[in-house]
Amino acid sequence: MAGIEDKCLDAFAGWLGTLGDDIVVLLRAAEALDAPPDARKALVGAINYVFKSLDLVPDGIDDIGYLDDAFVIRTGAALAVRHGLPAVQGDATAAIGGLAAAAETVREFLGPALYRRFESYVSNLRRGSARGRSAEDISSSAEVFAAFAADVRSFAKGYRPPDFGKDRRSLIKLKAFFEAKLPT
């Protein structure tokens, strides 16, 4: 277990550092005119999660509050690729494949059973809403999408990663939130 913990501590610190850039990568892929509709909704649902007021892990919790967002972004990218979004689609979304591949680290950390629950949760984000906008609203209206994109870019520009102390106890707390809050 120590090997996976060390891998996760290193990876999660990096993911917190790139969260702002990562949501912009998903946004660019969602903006692509040739993105398959289900892939686009998976991307938009994952990005929209960043704006939810009730996260799996509240954003203000120590150094782990944005890790659920980073997990959702990676799992959303994996779902979008599964729904037909090319893993690499020009310069704008070249990082989608890397984000999608990183969902495997999320699976390793959570374990197969908990990851299935999490993946189902992320898949269902396309039905939920944040700031009064659902993935369907965002995907079907150019005006709503433009406002959403402006919010995403504003968040990314202002995002400052929390200081992740790489403490193994943080991993225990993080997993406990997922076990307690994910639907069964």
Side-chain angles (χ1 to χ4, degrees):
M1 185 64 172
I4 187 64
E5 288 178 351
D6 290 337
K7 176 183 176 179
C8 290
L9 288 169
D10 289 338
F12 298 171
W15 296 357
L16 287 172
T18 62
L19 181 63
D21 295 334
D22 295 341
I23 66 169
V24 172
V25 165
L26 266 62
L27 178 66
R28 288 182 181 151
E31 288 173 325
L33 296 176
D34 58 346
D38 285 340
R40 189 173 202 223
K41 288 176 189 168
L43 294 169
V44 169
I47 299 165
N48 209 23
Y49 178 83
V50 173
F51 300 113
K52 283 181 63 97
S53 57
L54 295 174
D55 285 6
L56 293 170
V57 181
D59 292 340
I61 299 289
D62 301 327
D63 57 352
I64 63 169
Y66 280 104
L67 278 173
D68 58 319
D69 301 69
F71 285 20
V72 167
I73 294 301
R74 281 150 182 81
T75 304
L79 290 170
V81 168
R82 201 176 305 153
H83 286 302
L85 184 75
V88 177
Q89 185 181 46
D91 292 338
T93 59
I96 289 289
L99 291 170
E104 177 60 22
T105 302
V106 176
R107 189 195 64 73
E108 290 175 33
F109 171 69
L110 294 176
L114 190 55
Y115 184 74
R116 277 191 297 279
R117 288 171 48 199
F118 178 65
E119 187 179 52
S120 176
Y121 177 84
V122 174
S123 181
N124 286 323
L125 289 173
R126 62 189 299 161
R127 293 181 187 93
S129 65
R131 294 189 177 174
R133 299 178 293 217
S134 70
E136 182 66 39
D137 298 335
I138 295 164
S139 296
S140 62
S141 167
E143 183 179 324
V144 174
F145 191 94
F148 172 72
D151 283 349
V152 170
R153 288 188 170 95
S154 177
F155 172 86
K157 185 177 180 180
Y159 173 74
R160 299 292 174 258
D163 183 29
F164 186 66
K166 294 188 178 183
D167 184 343
R168 291 184 194 292
R169 290 176 294 189
S170 295
L171 297 179
I172 294 167
K173 282 194 299 187
L174 182 62
K175 192 178 273 190
F177 272 105
F178 281 84
E179 289 170 343
K181 290 195 168 184
L182 282 172
T184 53

